[in-house]
Amino acid sequence: MARTTTARRRMARSLAIATLTATALGGALAAPASAAQSPAYSTMSQCRDAQRAYGASSFVRISKSCYSFIYEIAPGIYDPNPYYRFNYVTRY
């Protein structure tokens, strides 16, 4: 009798662990994160302010902080003024 009770407990425990694992993996796989870039900002302080605002959200993780880049106006024509942006990843 004790052997069947122990077997039942083990079976219930393994089933519970398998269910929790499948639920956690299913949620992570169902909603993959997506990477994106912020819009272009003309000054570093604007970029940092926007980065702080994005970072305050629990749905976004900053993957690369503010960096400068040269904006391409038309194919082969670049704006001489640097612009700033940051990269982020949405969590959901």
Side-chain angles (χ1 to χ4, degrees):
M1 201 64 140
R3 184 174 177 178
T4 58
T5 305
T6 304
R8 283 187 209 145
R9 285 183 185 157
R10 284 184 187 162
M11 179 74 119
R13 187 179 323 145
S14 64
L15 182 62
I17 290 170
T19 303
L20 287 174
T21 304
T23 303
L25 287 177
L29 295 175
S34 62
Q37 292 177 337
S38 70
Y41 298 98
S42 57
T43 65
M44 180 64 91
S45 63
Q46 289 175 342
C47 181
R48 297 239 167 114
D49 290 341
Q51 180 180 321
R52 276 193 290 277
Y54 273 69
S57 168
S58 62
F59 301 108
V60 174
R61 178 179 56 85
I62 305 298
S63 58
K64 185 175 182 183
S65 15
C66 291
Y67 60 92
S68 64
F69 72 99
I70 302 298
Y71 186 71
E72 187 174 13
I73 299 170
I77 301 173
Y78 296 92
D79 187 351
N81 301 318
Y83 287 89
Y84 303 93
R85 69 176 163 212
F86 58 92
N87 297 348
Y88 61 93
V89 177
T90 56
R91 296 182 184 194
Y92 301 104

